[in-house]
Amino acid sequence: MRAADGHGATSAPDDEAGGARRAGSVGAIVAAALRDLRAIDGAVYAAVATTPTPTLDTALRRLSRAADHSKLSLGIAAGLAVFPGPRQAACAGLGAVAVASASANLLAKRLVRRRRPDREAARVTVARQVPMPASASFPSGHTASAVAFAIGAGTVLPGALLPLWSLASAVAYSRVHTGVHYPGDVTAGAALGVASAVTSRRLRRCLPRGERC
């Protein structure tokens, strides 16, 4: 039944229909924007894959492998832990890595389930390649952990922030260069790493001072 007041106001069903149309329009715009972003993501990946960089290939492949299971961050943390002052930075960095790794691998990858890039179709040269992980592509766990360590340790030891951030950026790019991630994966991984470092820092503040490493 259509209901209107004496001035011809629209009925509740008409309002609901208008709201549904607006929601549908917003949904269509969002879907179109996501398609465009995926197209850009794929185009950048393809451009990297087809750009010859023989001088960089071996170094970036080795860097990518060194970052497996956060081995690079663990090694740096071990070096920092030798000295009493930087030891706090090492602990902060590793705490951030723990949050980032759990968030990426136990939550985000299982929710999104994005397929890995087709490295053969993109013609990524064999000299660049590292083993293709079996996990989902989004987000990049390597990037999340490297960025989380850089910020976690760097906020405690400011002098280390720039070199650690530069290293994390190189790790992030290496995952695209070796063909195992789209650029969007590493961008999301970097954002997750920042959030993980902030979360870890807040959690550490909640601990009694005597229980902090």
Side-chain angles (χ1 to χ4, degrees):
M1 178 182 296
R2 294 177 63 97
D5 60 21
H7 299 285
T10 57
S11 65
D14 287 342
D15 289 342
E16 291 175 1
R21 285 193 296 270
R22 287 191 294 272
S25 177
V26 170
I29 293 171
V30 171
L34 289 175
R35 284 195 300 270
D36 289 347
L37 288 173
R38 283 194 294 268
I40 294 170
D41 205 18
V44 175
Y45 177 87
V48 172
T50 56
T51 301
T53 53
T55 305
L56 295 176
D57 290 347
T58 299
L60 288 170
R61 186 186 72 242
R62 289 176 178 173
L63 177 62
S64 185
R65 293 301 303 273
D68 287 349
H69 309 295
S70 298
K71 290 183 294 187
L72 194 59
S73 297
L74 291 171
I76 295 171
L80 292 174
V82 172
F83 306 97
R87 189 174 300 154
Q88 294 295 324
C91 290
L94 292 179
V97 168
V99 175
S101 181
S103 300
N105 296 306
L106 301 180
L107 182 62
K109 286 181 180 288
R110 296 186 179 187
L111 288 175
V112 179
R113 297 184 179 277
R114 186 183 194 186
R115 295 181 63 180
R116 293 276 175 175
D118 188 340
R119 195 162 51 182
E120 286 67 32
R123 298 182 180 178
V124 176
T125 180
V126 174
R128 297 182 181 185
Q129 295 187 15
V130 296
M132 181 67 77
S135 60
S137 190
F138 184 96
S140 168
H142 284 64
T143 303
S145 294
V147 169
F149 182 82
I151 295 179
T155 53
V156 178
L157 191 65
L161 179 58
L162 181 58
L164 289 176
W165 178 262
S166 299
L167 181 61
S169 299
V171 169
Y173 174 72
S174 76
R175 302 304 285 172
V176 179
H177 193 85
T178 55
V180 297
H181 277 295
Y182 292 103
D185 301 333
V186 299
T187 301
L192 181 59
V194 173
S196 298
V198 172
T199 300
S200 176
R201 184 175 177 82
R202 290 178 177 174
L203 291 175
R204 290 183 75 248
R205 286 178 175 174
C206 293
L207 294 174
R209 187 171 296 275
E211 295 184 11
R212 300 176 191 175
C213 64

